[in-house]
Amino acid sequence: MQATGYINKSYYEAEAWLISPVIDLTKVQGATMTVTEEVNKYFGNANEEATIWVREAAATHAGDWVQLPVTHPTVDASKTWSAVTPIELGLNDFAGKTVQVGFKYTSTSSVAGTWVVFGVKIEDNGGEIVMTAPTFTPDGGTYDDDVEVTIVSHVHVALGNAKGIMVV
C-alpha cells in the first residue's frame, strides 16, 4: 500500500483508509501485528498522519475504531526516506474476537508525506501465524512467499474537493 497527498509537486488535503477483511482472533489468547513499512520526510508528524486502527467486527455490527500507538521509523536528516522497518503492535485487547485493521492516511495543503506498507503479519503469542499479507521489498521482490490472506478488502478514499492517492 502506498498513500500520499503529494501530487504533481503540490500538497493536497486528503484522508484515505485501507480496511482489511475480517481477521479471526477468536482462538488466540493474544496477538502481535508486524507492519513492515517506510515513510518519507514530508510528514508534519507521521505518527499522527499515518495511523493504524483496529475494531471489533461482530456479525451484527462493527465496533468503534481504536487507534493503536504507532511510532514510525525516523528519517535521517540527510535522506528522503526512512529505512524499511518492521514495527510491532500489540493486539492482546482483541484476543478472542474477530477484527478489522484500518490504515488511515491524512495530509494537508502544507504537509503531505508518503507512507508505504510492504506487508502485514499477525502472530499469536506462541508465534503461530494467524494472518499474513504479501510482504514486498522496495525493489518488487517478496520477503515472504507463504501468503495466506491478502489484507486488502477495499479502499475508501474520502477526499472532498481535494486530490489524493492510495495505491494498493
Side-chain angles (χ1 to χ4, degrees):
M1 179 275 298
Q2 180 171 323
T4 189
Y6 181 75
I7 302 167
N8 296 327
K9 300 181 182 180
S10 296
Y11 298 122
Y12 292 93
E13 185 174 333
E15 177 180 309
W17 283 79
L18 172 65
I19 300 173
S20 78
V22 174
I23 301 165
D24 186 358
L25 299 179
T26 59
K27 296 180 176 118
V28 303
Q29 300 295 314
T32 301
M33 178 170 56
T34 303
V35 178
T36 304
E37 65 164 18
E38 70 180 341
V39 294
N40 72 9
K41 67 180 183 180
Y42 301 108
F43 281 97
N45 181 336
N47 297 333
E48 296 175 2
E49 298 159 17
T51 55
I52 301 174
W53 302 71
V54 179
R55 71 175 174 189
E56 186 174 352
T60 58
H61 72 284
D64 293 331
W65 287 106
V66 175
Q67 185 174 352
L68 299 178
V70 174
T71 302
H72 294 286
T74 57
V75 180
D76 183 288
S78 66
K79 300 192 178 190
T80 302
W81 289 91
S82 69
V84 175
T85 305
I87 58 172
E88 291 189 358
L89 304 164
L91 297 178
N92 290 342
D93 291 346
F94 296 94
K97 302 175 182 177
T98 56
V99 299
Q100 287 182 290
V101 176
F103 296 84
K104 180 183 177 184
Y105 169 84
T106 59
S107 62
T108 69
S109 59
S110 56
V111 292
T114 300
W115 181 25
V116 181
V117 174
F118 294 101
V120 177
K121 177 171 58 175
I122 298 176
E123 296 175 294
D124 69 16
N125 286 349
E128 294 293 318
I129 294 175
V130 175
M131 193 254 4
T132 58
T135 304
F136 297 97
T137 63
D139 65 3
T142 60
Y143 290 127
D144 182 355
D145 292 328
D146 184 21
V147 176
E148 295 177 11
V149 177
T150 301
I151 198 167
V152 178
S153 170
H154 66 278
V155 177
H156 172 90
V157 181
L159 301 175
N161 294 327
K163 299 177 182 180
I165 293 178
M166 181 176 282
V167 177
V168 179

